[in-house]
Structures are given as C-alpha cells and as structure tokens.
C-alpha cells in the first residue's frame, strides 16, 4: 500500500510536469500511517522517521519491489539515464518535503537506511535502500553482512549455578526497571571466569526476551571513523531485532592503548543493552556502569555440578568428587566436558562401565588437561619422569618434601572441612624455597612432587619474566597465576635471585618498584590454590623478611661421596649395556647429580657410536668434557688407572 501511494505521488508529479494533472502530491497519495505492528511502522517508530523520510525509504524500496518505478523515476526527472530515485525527485514529488532529511545527522543517513551514490550534487545523486532495511521491510530475518564476520549470535543458554543466577537476576531486574531512562546502565562482568560471564549474559537476555550477540573487543577498529560506523551499524541492528550485545574484552591487552581506547569509546557512545566481559575493571568516562565480579562456582556449587553430571556413579567413586573439587577450580561447562572426556578415556569402545578406580583416574587426568593453562610464552611445561627412588638426598630433606606433598593432598580437609580457611584467608597457599647449587636436584624434586600428586609442572624462568619496564613484571606474574589457578598446577619459579635480592635502600622509583614486584609475587604465591616453588643458587642473598613468608625451605646440599656413588648406581637405565663400571672410583669425582647425569648420557652416546657397552673410558672422556665447560682440568690423580 505504501509503495502504491508513493507511485501515485510520482505519477501526479509527472502529470503536473507534463501539464495535465493538477492535484498535489498529498491529494494524489494521501499520507496514511502504516498499520500498527507492520515492518514499516516499526521502522518509523524505531528511528523516529517523519512522513517525508518514511516516503523516501518507500521510494527507494519501490525501485527494488516494483518494476514500474525505474521508468517512472526517469520520466519524472526528464532523463532516461536517471532511472533511479534522488533527493531532488523526493523533494519535488513527495508531500511534506523537508531539507533536514538530507543532512548527515538526519535519520535517513545517520542510520544508513538509504545509501547515497556518486553524483554531481547531493540532490542529483542516486539513492538506494540499504539491503538490511529492504529485507526487514519484506519480512526476511537476516543480519547485516557487514557485521557477519564480527558479531556472533548466542543461541543456547546453560543452567547457571546459584551464585551466577543471582547476578543474572540482579542485572535483569536493573535493566527492566531503568529501560528507556538515562540511568540504563552498561553491565560490566569482571573476572577470569569467561564461560560463566557469557552464561550470565545469555540468562539475562533470556529473562528479558532479548537476542544475545557477541563482539570480540580485540576486533574493534581503532580509527574513530571506522569505530563510529561499526557502532552505528550495531545500534541499528539491535534496534531492529531487540538485541543485546556482549562486548568480549577478555583478550584485550590493557597495555594496548589504541585498543583500550576503542573499548572505552564504544562503552561511552553505545546506546541500548550492552554487557562488557573483562578481566580487569574499566572505568568509562560517561556511561553509567554496573559492575559484578564473576567468580568460579563455589566449591559447594562445583560439588553439586559434579554429582549431577556423574549421577549414580558419584557414590561409587569413594570421595573422588571431593578430591577433584579441592584441586581443580572448574566452571560448570568445563565439569560437564571433563565428565564426557573421562567417559571416552575410560571406555573408548563404548563398552561396559569401568571400575570406579579406573574411572576416577580418568576423571583426574581429564580435569588436569581441561584446566591446563596457556603459558607457552612465559612457562615451560615439564613432563615429570622422576620418582622418589630417583631422588638422592639426606633423609631430612626427603621428609620435608613428603610433608609438602601431604599438605597439597590434605589442603581441602584442613582448610575447608576443619575450618582454617574460614578463620583466616591469609597464607593459605603452599609455598616452598628450594636452595642449592646447580645440579643438586631442585628441579628433580619438583618433578617428583608433580608425579606423586599427578599434577602438571610448569617452570617459569624469573629472569625472563622480570622486565626493565615498570609494571610489566607484575603483569607477567599476574598472567602466570591467573592462568594456572584453574588447575592448581605446580609452579616452579626458577632463578629467584633475579627478583629476590637483599632489600636495599630505596633510592629511586625503580628500587621501590622492585620491592613491590617481590611483594606481589609473594602475595600471589600465598593466595595460590596450588603449590608454588622458588629455586635459588644463593639462599644467603635473599632477604630474611621474604624468607619468613615461605612455608617450607629445603636445602639441597652438594652430594657427598656415598650419595654420588648411589647416583652413579641409578643413573643408567636398565636397558643400557655397561661393562666394568666402578662406582666407587666414579664417586671420587666431585660432581653434582645434574653433572653426573650429563656425563652418563654423553658417555652412552660415545659408547653407542663405538658399538660398545658403556665403559670407564667412555665416562672418562665425557667427564673431561664436563669439566671443560667450566674451563677446569679434570684431576688426573683421581682418574689414574681408569
């Protein structure tokens, strides 16, 4: 009906121009309002179109929908080459003409309802209806193709744990109460729990009957013009489809000033339902902001999710659920994924249900893989292969290491069931310092603990983490701890001397910040839910105040002759052929365990190349090479007769 009315206005304009018709455009095409609820009425009310602006949209749509429009436009403009609408034609032929409708700030161009092509003048340039608007008017559900590569749609909602459901209900209630007012807030969901934040956003939209879309903040253009264009496209899309946007800023580096500025400009300029997912709080300059910290589900909630996922199998696992919850801090979707993965691991052929102990081990290993942190650029994952029998240390040191393992295993019982965590939240992390010269077994001891506890072990070189730029060290350390928190991996901070020198007099801001970095590391170690270990070659260089904050200190002494002999007895694998090795003679050489392993390995290669079993002559040659690393000669008196 609207197209027919505009066509009548064009015909009346042509008749007047050709000296026949005398009726005005309003008389030829009465400007009746479109029916309530129709796509055209929704477009008019959503974008506040005047009757003239509405008719311009219909004029441009008519070219796509009615084959008679092109020749009518050419005839109305007296030029067969101008078979398209123009602003000049609209001003001349349509009732209620207004020049303001042509301006960039007018609804037609601001919301890109029409596109203005190239022409000699604004009024002579061809007009075309935007494709998204055309589809909307004829009832085709689609999305602007310019958003297709940037904005994704969330189609499924997940069951929320209680603490997350409470946040969703508060957000929905606030939005419902403030809808259409200046107080309508942007909602900021903060924390590391990415899946929980998205699930909360989806639940809010379900409660308010909104469609949820997600835009990654690291895909935002940083140029002001491009950003404004994208924002306008999204706001138009949201207005047409009752949609909310989740701006996913979890992967934006706060140090990227250009990208961070784009995020803040979007928040300040956006209108409508907007949620921001972010690791760290942002402070927009204009928009009202409602902030929630989204944590992982509480231990009680995780237990409930595990029991719901496991069903009847939970009771047969003999406390395994408690063990999983105490070690792994997982979201609800991750728990369900771990359960499915464990089933596949335990019964890969889809056969009968596995024995509880087999399934329990599969659950543990699957959770460990699910929670494995992404630390490739800051940490090295070590595959532990050493057991207690491989560790040659005095009895006192071994007892301390077994005590460390026991505290990691019993952490949940003592902290939670026995109430220590409720009494005080300070110092609940299990921290240790391994001190000793290179090769005395510090890294091997960490491997032994990781194998004993069936946990991942990550080695972090503190000399690589420490940055000369103020604030960068803390950022790197934060990444390490935040990423490792979910699975409680064992963190081995190597070369602590790079950060933990004796506290000196503060002479400038760099000295002050170095102390802040040390305090930050100790603070995160004390709060970490796993085991955090520092290693040092120079314990005496560390400040006593820092040492007192560590729970365990294990000294790794240089091995004596008896310990060296034991290391030599165990250093060769059972499959290695040997001949005539004298461990008592070998033990006379003052080598630490790490150097002994280097000598044994190099000697094995020499023997293999010669096609012989490992003999003393091969060890002698390898030992000379080991001493040469430090530019020292091998004491010939000790190796005479080898």
């Amino acid at each position: 009906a609207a197209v027919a009315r505009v066509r009548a206005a064009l015909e009346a304009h042509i008749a007047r121009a050709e000296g026949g018709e005398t009726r005005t455009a309003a008389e030829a095409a009465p400007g009746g309002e479109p029916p309530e609820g129709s796509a055209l009425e929704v477009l008019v009310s959503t974008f506040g179109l005047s009757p003239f602006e509405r008719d311009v949209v219909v004029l441009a749509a008519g070219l796509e929908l009615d084959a008679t429009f092109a020749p009518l436009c050419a005839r109305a403009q007296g030029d067969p080459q101008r078979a398209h609408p123009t602003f000049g034609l609209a001003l001349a032929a349509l009732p209620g003409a207004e020049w303001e409708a042509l301006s960039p700030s007018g609804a037609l161009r601001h919301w890109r309802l029409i596109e203005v092509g190239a022409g000699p003048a604004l009024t002579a340039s061809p007009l075309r209806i935007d494709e998204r608007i055309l589809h909307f008017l004829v009832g085709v559900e689609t999305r602007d193709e310019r958003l297709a590569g940037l904005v994704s749609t969330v189609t499924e909602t997940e069951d929320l744990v209680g603490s997350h459901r409470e946040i969703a209900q508060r957000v929905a209630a606030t939005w419902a109460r403030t809808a259409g007012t200046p107080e309508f807030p942007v909602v900021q969901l903060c924390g590391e729990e990415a899946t929980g934040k998205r699930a909360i956003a989806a639940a809010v939209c379900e409660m308010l009957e909104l469609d949820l879309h997600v835009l990654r903040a690291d895909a935002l253009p940083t140029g002001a013009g491009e950003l404004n264009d994208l924002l306008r496209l999204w706001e138009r899309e949201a207005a047409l489809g009752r949609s909310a946007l989740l701006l996913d800023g979890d992967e934006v580096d706060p140090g990227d000033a250009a990208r961070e500025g784009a995020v803040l400009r979007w928040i300040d300029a956006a209108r409508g339902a907007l949620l921001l997912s972010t690791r760290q709080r942002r402070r927009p300059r204009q928009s009202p902001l409602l902030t929630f910290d989204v944590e992982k589900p509480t231990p009680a909630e995780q237990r409930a999710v595990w029991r719901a996922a496991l069903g009847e199998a939970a009771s047969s696992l003999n406390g395994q659920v408690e063990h999983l919850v105490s070690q792994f801090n997982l979201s609800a979707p991750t728990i369900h994924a771990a359960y499915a993965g464990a089933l596949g691991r335990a019964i890969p052929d889809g056969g009968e249900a596995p024995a509880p102990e087999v399934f329990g081990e599969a659950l543990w290993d699957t959770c460990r893989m699910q929670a494995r942190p992404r630390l490739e650029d800051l940490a090295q994952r070590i595959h532990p292969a050493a057991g207690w029998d491989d560790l040659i240390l005095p009895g006192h040191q071994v007892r301390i290491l077994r005590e460390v393992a026991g505290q990691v295993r019993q952490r949940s019982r003592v902290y939670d069931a026995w109430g220590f965590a409720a009494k005080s939240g300070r110092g609940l992390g299990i921290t240790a310092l391994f001190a000793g010269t290179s090769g005395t077994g510090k890294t091997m001891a960490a491997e032994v603990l990781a194998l004993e506890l069936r946990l991942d072990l990550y080695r972090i070189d503190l000399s690589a983490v420490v940055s000369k730029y103020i604030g960068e060290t803390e950022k790197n350390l934060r990444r390490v701890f935040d990423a490792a928190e979910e699975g409680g991996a064992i963190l081995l901070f190597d070369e602590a001397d790079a950060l933990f020198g004796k506290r000196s007099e503060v002479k400038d801001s760099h000295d002050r910040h170095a102390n802040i970095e040390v305090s930050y590391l100790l603070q995160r170690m004390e709060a970490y839910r796993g085991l955090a270990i520092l290693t040092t070659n120079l314990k005496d260089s560390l400040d006593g105040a820092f040492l007192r904050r560590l729970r365990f200190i294990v000294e790794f002494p240089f091995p004596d002759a008896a310990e060296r002999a034991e290391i030599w007895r165990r250093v060769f694998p059972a499959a290695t052929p040997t001949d005539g090795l004298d461990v008592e003679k070998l033990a006379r050489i003052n080598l630490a365990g790490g150097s002994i392993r280097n000598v044994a390995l190099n000697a094995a290669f020499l023997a293999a190349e010669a096609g012989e079993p490992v003999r003393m002559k091969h060890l002698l040659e390898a030992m000379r090479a080991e001493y040469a690393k430090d530019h020292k000669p091998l004491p010939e008196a000790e190796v005479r007769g080898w």
Side-chain angles (χ1 to χ4, degrees), residues 29 85 209 267 377 507 547 615:
E209 298 183 346
I267 297 171
D377 56 334
K507 297 179 180 177
L547 294 178
R615 296 192 172 105

Side-chain angles (χ1 to χ4, degrees), residues 415 420-429 523 526-527 549 551:
Y415 288 168
F420 272 79
K423 190 173 182 66
S424 174
R426 294 181 57 198
L428 299 182
Q523 172 194 337
E526 290 169 336
R549 293 176 63 177
R551 188 175 299 186

Side-chain angles (χ1 to χ4, degrees), residues 330-350:
L330 304 179
S331 65
T334 306
I335 288 173
H336 287 290
Y339 169 67
L343 281 178
R345 176 186 285 258
I347 44 175
D349 56 357

Side-chain angles (χ1 to χ4, degrees), residues 518-538:
V518 169
S519 297
Y520 179 79
L521 174 58
L522 287 173
Q523 172 194 337
R524 290 302 302 260
M525 288 176 67
E526 290 169 336
Y528 180 54
R529 61 183 281 110
L531 169 62
I533 302 169
L534 293 166
T535 74
T536 178
N537 298 336
L538 303 168

Side-chain angles (χ1 to χ4, degrees), residues 421-441:
K423 190 173 182 66
S424 174
R426 294 181 57 198
L428 299 182
I430 299 174
T431 59
L433 175 72
F434 289 178
T437 57
S438 296
T440 50

Side-chain angles (χ1 to χ4, degrees), residues 155-404:
T155 56
E156 297 180 359
T157 57
E158 301 168 353
D159 291 335
L160 297 180
V161 297
S163 57
H164 293 177
R165 189 182 307 110
E166 180 182 348
I167 294 174
Q169 290 168 343
R170 289 173 61 187
V171 173
T174 301
W175 272 4
R177 188 176 62 253
T178 58
T181 71
E183 289 75 34
F184 189 83
V186 173
V187 172
Q188 182 173 218
L189 302 174
C190 301
E192 298 295 320
E193 175 55 345
T195 57
K197 290 183 289 187
R198 183 171 294 211
I200 289 170
V204 170
C205 291
E206 187 176 46
M207 294 174 191
L208 298 176
E209 298 183 346
L210 298 171
D211 293 327
L212 178 63
H213 302 269
V214 179
L215 170 62
R216 287 177 58 98
D218 55 0
L220 289 177
T222 54
E226 293 176 281
L227 186 71
N228 288 336
D229 289 345
L230 180 61
L231 177 61
R232 200 168 301 166
L233 279 177
W234 164 252
E235 289 183 333
R236 190 185 74 177
E237 190 71 23
L240 292 174
R242 277 189 57 80
S243 298
L245 181 68
L246 175 64
L247 185 61
D248 183 358
D250 286 347
E251 300 304 321
V252 173
D253 181 358
D256 185 343
R259 191 74 60 193
E260 187 69 14
V263 172
L264 293 177
R265 287 198 302 274
W266 185 284
I267 297 171
D268 284 335
R271 300 293 177 265
L274 175 64
L275 303 105
L276 172 66
S277 176
T278 178
R279 296 179 186 274
Q280 301 174 25
R281 293 181 178 229
R282 287 176 170 83
R283 302 185 183 278
R285 294 151 289 194
Q286 300 172 19
S287 300
L289 196 66
L290 184 63
T291 300
F292 294 93
D293 291 314
V294 180
E295 307 289 347
K296 283 285 196 305
T298 65
E301 291 169 341
Q302 291 183 46
R303 289 186 200 99
V305 175
W306 272 116
R307 292 192 179 105
L310 292 167
E312 296 179 358
S315 59
S316 65
L317 288 175
N318 192 27
Q320 182 75 5
V321 169
E322 194 65 40
H323 198 194
L324 292 170
V325 171
S326 70
Q327 181 59 47
F328 302 104
N329 192 21
L330 304 179
S331 65
T334 306
I335 288 173
H336 287 290
Y339 169 67
L343 281 178
R345 176 186 285 258
I347 44 175
D349 56 357
E352 297 181 357
E357 59 272 13
V358 174
F359 188 47
E361 290 181 2
L363 275 174
W364 181 273
D365 291 337
T366 306
C367 287
R368 186 171 66 175
M369 286 188 290
Q370 288 288 107
R372 189 162 282 163
R374 301 187 305 275
L375 292 172
E376 292 81 3
D377 56 334
L378 291 176
Q380 170 197 6
R381 185 161 67 91
I382 297 175
H383 299 274
W388 291 106
D389 290 341
D390 299 301
L391 200 58
I392 309 301
L393 283 174
H396 175 67
Q397 279 79 354
V398 173
R399 283 193 296 274
I400 295 177
L401 291 173
R402 290 192 180 275
E403 187 178 344
V404 172

